[in-house]
Amino acid sequence: VQLVESGGGSVQAGGSLRLSCAASGSISSSRCMAWFRQAPGKEREGLATIERDGHTSYVDAVKDRFTISSDNAKNTLYLQMNNLKPEDSAVYFCSVREGGCRNSEDEQDYWGQGTQVTVS
């Protein structure tokens, strides 16, 4: 399985960005896809997960501002980020876990290379 993120960049506070993650390879029907981020000097943190049936979950820090979605036909994951804040600056990663969703970095099976988001 390969994951390729895109859509990162620089934006002013209050702005929006939409990240994409294109998945290729064999992914089980019970997979969970997720977005994580890692700021300099900090641990990688889970932000949102989505199951194949569309069920989503979010951490409080991004709830009501970020929206995770997926296009199963295209095997693509998205993260719509609105009302961005400077503290959202980080490298954003997508991940796949074969099986139920877990928000732990150690329990993901596949990772993308990351895309930088900078909010000033």
Side-chain angles (χ1 to χ4, degrees):
V1 174
Q2 288 190 321
L3 304 174
V4 179
E5 299 98 335
S6 60
S10 296
V11 65
Q12 290 188 337
S16 299
L17 282 174
R18 188 193 195 206
L19 306 183
S20 298
C21 171
S24 60
S26 179
I27 303 176
S28 73
S29 60
S30 61
R31 92 312 184 256
C32 176
M33 299 187 79
W35 285 100
F36 286 71
R37 69 184 177 191
Q38 187 168 20
K42 295 189 175 181
E43 293 185 355
R44 193 170 297 189
E45 62 170 334
L47 303 176
T49 62
I50 184 167
E51 297 180 53
R52 192 169 182 88
D53 64 1
H55 179 74
T56 60
S57 68
Y58 299 88
V59 295
D60 288 344
V62 303
K63 205 172 187 180
D64 300 326
R65 297 190 299 124
F66 291 9
T67 302
I68 189 172
S69 62
S70 65
D71 184 330
N72 292 335
K74 295 181 180 179
N75 261 353
T76 301
L77 178 71
Y78 303 99
L79 186 68
Q80 177 66 43
M81 305 187 294
N82 298 327
N83 190 22
L84 283 161
K85 305 174 181 180
E87 52 264 42
D88 293 319
S89 297
V91 178
Y92 284 69
F93 299 88
C94 64
S95 70
V96 169
R97 185 177 190 275
E98 302 287 10
C101 289
R102 299 286 188 274
N103 216 26
S104 165
E105 176 185 2
D106 295 340
E107 294 186 87
Q108 308 305 305
D109 294 309
Y110 305 102
W111 290 97
Q113 83 288 351
T115 185
Q116 176 71 48
V117 171
T118 303
V119 185
S120 60

